[in-house]
Amino acid sequence: MINICIKDIVEATKGKLLCGDEKQQIDHLSIDSRSSQGNDLFIPIIGAKVDAHRFIDGAFSVGCVATLTSEHDSMDDPNHAWIRVEDTVLALHEIGKLCRSRVTVPAIGVTGSVGKTTTREMIAYALSAEKKVYKTQKNYNSSVGLPITMSLMSNDYDIAVLELGMNVPGELGTISEIAQLKMAVLTNVGVAHIEFYGSQEAICHEKYTISKGFGKEGLLIVNGDDELLYKFRESTGYPYVLYGTKEYCDYRAEDIHMENGHYAFTFVHNEMRVPVVLSVLGQHNVLNATAALAAAHLNGVDVTLAAKSLYTFTGFQNRLQIMDVKDYKVIDDTYNASPASMVAGVNVLGGFETSGRKIAVLSEMRELGENTLKYHREVGEKIASEPINELIVIGDTAKAIADGARQKKCSYLIHEFDDKMQAAEYLNQNLKAGDVVYLKASNAIGLKEITKYLMEQ
């Protein structure tokens, strides 16, 4: 945070200083009462199950020097500053705007139903060929997390790449206004969180609210292969460019093929043609890389250098992470799941070169609303033709995946288990040399515990 004190916080939030020194410097924001980096302001969030106001004393005990509160009207504390606000989350948004106003670094926002984090990281790698890049820290991409991201940004950077998520209607537009964007990348429209939106078209329109982060000028970098994003590409009134594999895309991936086990393609823009090789698994990452190179070119980075930098990106933990266990391999993709990402993951498994069997282990995808079983069944239908040997599904909801695969007359064996440890024990007893196991489910399912179990064995 740049030169921000208690007085600035009070003015930004239109709050009331109940006690404390208005000149006290604030260097960090904290939403975790268990940690402090020094001179922290604690923001107690009122959640569905827990009201963090009860943790204020704990925050002070680890070094926080001040706190917001929406539950106290007076306070006598000689050691800490207390700031009364109407709503701590809304106050956090105003603090985020205050932090952003102190930083002049241009920012690119990234949103989409699938692949936000990977695309964000790829853009950062591509830009870093010639620029000093700030990027979203951890998973701070929500209405609570994005202001934290803003507080960590400084003028020491040339450009920022910010991941913007959305869980409920209105959230994306709100946080994009905090982020103050120069450009925005829209990766795709899926069915994640559809229970809150009702339809994919509604999700698509919500994705385009990222343009609220633009000022008088802004540029959308839109996935032209996504039918809904393409359909509503002119809905905001802001200019746009398209990336993808279609002939009408301004930035295109052509001649997609494999080179020594890696996806490769030619990046095309007007007369420019640049060969690209990726280190990360999955053909879907060709599109993510195309978006990254488009963003690099639009920000004046030499695309040939950007492509070389992009090759050094090898992915994230629990996102298509390959691990050698005994004499077989595990592809851990358990960070999260949606129908599109699950189908893409099984496609990665199907294309994996191995001397043994290919085994997909799939469990429930969350937040899909009243059509949950339908979406799971559709995943099964779409992966029925994949060249794998076994499909393992875990839990009642995931059994719909098996139903869909059977309905399309898949040729592989299917096993159904009630819980993940049953599946883990089956794998441990039956895996052979050369086998490859792919694991995918929503993060809340905890499927990564199977990876841990297999490695421990």
Side-chain angles (χ1 to χ4, degrees):
M1 298 175 69
I2 301 177
N3 298 324
I4 291 177
C5 64
I6 292 295
K7 182 180 179 181
D8 298 320
I9 301 291
V10 172
E11 291 178 353
T13 61
K14 295 182 172 56
K16 178 182 179 182
L17 182 61
L18 300 180
C19 63
D21 182 3
E22 67 175 15
K23 297 180 181 179
Q24 168 68 54
Q25 188 78 16
I26 297 298
D27 295 329
H28 307 97
L29 303 180
S30 174
I31 55 175
D32 185 348
S33 63
R34 297 165 297 183
S35 63
S36 170
Q37 299 178 67
N39 289 343
D40 289 37
L41 170 68
F42 179 60
I43 297 94
I45 305 299
I46 301 175
K49 297 181 179 179
V50 178
D51 182 348
H53 282 80
R54 72 173 73 171
F55 303 128
I56 291 176
D57 287 342
F60 288 155
S61 71
V62 297
C64 291
V65 297
T67 185
L68 299 183
T69 177
S70 61
E71 297 186 354
H72 300 81
D73 294 317
S74 62
M75 183 57 60
D76 183 13
D77 183 343
N79 301 313
H80 308 99
W82 291 65
I83 303 171
R84 176 69 160 89
V85 296
E86 289 301 312
D87 184 300
T88 55
V89 172
L90 295 181
L92 176 59
H93 293 171
E94 296 306 317
I95 297 169
K97 291 177 183 177
L98 170 64
C99 294
R100 184 66 175 105
S101 70
R102 303 289 174 93
V103 180
T104 58
V105 175
I108 303 172
V110 182
T111 195
S113 296
V114 180
K116 290 186 297 294
T117 303
T118 300
T119 304
R120 175 205 80 198
E121 201 70 8
M122 283 184 156
I123 292 171
Y125 269 71
L127 290 170
S128 68
E130 293 189 321
K131 294 180 181 290
K132 187 176 181 181
V133 183
Y134 174 81
K135 60 188 178 185
T136 298
Q137 305 297 301
K138 300 180 181 180
N139 62 341
Y140 292 156
N141 65 359
S142 65
S143 62
V144 171
L146 197 278
I148 305 294
T149 292
M150 295 296 93
S151 73
L152 298 171
M153 195 161 76
S154 74
N155 286 314
D156 294 334
Y157 299 90
D158 299 316
I159 195 165
V161 185
L162 306 176
E163 179 180 334
L164 280 69
M166 64 182 213
N167 293 309
V168 295
E171 181 176 16
L172 181 59
T174 296
I175 62 176
S176 64
E177 289 179 331
I178 298 172
Q180 293 297 294
L181 305 171
K182 169 188 177 182
M183 297 178 182
V185 177
L186 284 75
T187 64
N188 47 56
V189 176
V191 294
H193 313 303
I194 198 168
E195 63 179 302
F196 303 116
Y197 295 92
S199 70
Q200 280 189 280
E201 286 205 353
I203 292 173
C204 182
H205 286 298
E206 190 76 14
K207 295 297 183 190
Y208 273 111
T209 63
I210 196 171
S211 63
K212 289 185 176 181
F214 295 155
K216 293 181 179 179
E217 297 181 355
L219 177 67
L220 295 164
I221 304 173
V222 179
N223 179 358
D225 287 10
D226 186 288
E227 292 182 5
L228 284 175
L229 287 177
Y230 181 76
K231 179 180 179 181
F232 296 107
R233 65 194 184 279
E234 297 180 349
S235 61
T236 68
Y238 284 99
Y240 63 88
V241 295
L242 301 174
Y243 73 90
T245 60
K246 309 292 187 184
E247 289 185 2
Y248 52 73
C249 290
D250 304 284
Y251 295 91
R252 297 188 306 282
E254 295 184 356
D255 185 30
I256 301 170
H257 61 283
M258 298 294 290
E259 286 186 9
N260 300 318
H262 297 274
Y263 271 100
F265 64 97
T266 301
F267 178 75
V268 179
H269 175 65
N270 295 333
E271 302 303 315
M272 177 174 59
R273 301 181 68 86
V274 177
V276 183
V277 180
L278 303 179
S279 294
V280 286
L281 294 173
Q283 185 170 347
H284 58 283
N285 277 317
V286 170
L287 273 181
N288 297 336
T290 304
L293 295 173
H297 181 260
L298 289 164
N299 283 280
V301 174
D302 185 302
V303 174
T304 300
L305 297 178
K308 290 179 179 178
S309 181
L310 201 53
Y311 180 74
T312 64
F313 174 62
T314 57
F316 299 95
Q317 185 177 16
N318 305 126
R319 289 184 173 96
L320 287 175
Q321 182 183 21
I322 302 177
M323 286 167 285
D324 290 304
V325 184
K326 294 182 181 178
D327 48 7
Y328 58 84
K329 295 183 183 294
V330 173
I331 303 176
D332 188 325
D333 197 19
T334 59
Y335 180 79
N336 223 331
S338 67
S341 66
M342 187 170 280
V343 171
V346 178
N347 177 259
V348 169
L349 175 65
F352 205 91
E353 296 181 5
T354 181
S355 60
R357 297 170 297 169
K358 302 173 185 178
I359 303 170
V361 182
L362 310 177
S363 191
E364 184 181 349
M365 299 172 287
R366 296 282 177 87
E367 297 183 351
L368 296 179
E370 61 183 14
N371 291 316
T372 288
L373 292 179
K374 171 179 175 286
Y375 292 125
H376 283 78
R377 193 173 298 109
E378 287 177 351
V379 166
E381 292 172 357
K382 291 176 180 178
I383 66 172
S385 60
E386 288 292 343
I388 64 176
N389 302 99
E390 292 187 29
L391 169 64
I392 294 173
V393 297
I394 303 170
D396 289 339
T397 301
K399 289 177 182 177
I401 299 174
D403 292 341
R406 290 192 189 99
Q407 194 171 38
K408 290 293 183 179
K409 303 187 185 307
C410 64
S411 60
Y412 43 77
L413 296 174
I414 295 179
H415 307 278
E416 299 180 1
F417 293 100
D418 293 325
D419 65 70
K420 58 197 170 195
M421 292 319 297
Q422 288 178 351
E425 290 170 4
Y426 168 82
L427 289 168
N428 187 52
Q429 293 169 11
N430 290 277
L431 286 172
K432 301 175 182 178
D435 288 349
V436 180
V437 181
Y438 171 76
L439 303 169
K440 185 73 168 175
S442 283
N443 192 42
I445 303 300
L447 217 60
K448 61 186 176 184
E449 292 176 22
I450 293 181
T451 303
K452 182 181 178 182
Y453 175 82
L454 293 174
M455 294 187 75
E456 287 174 348
Q457 299 307 306

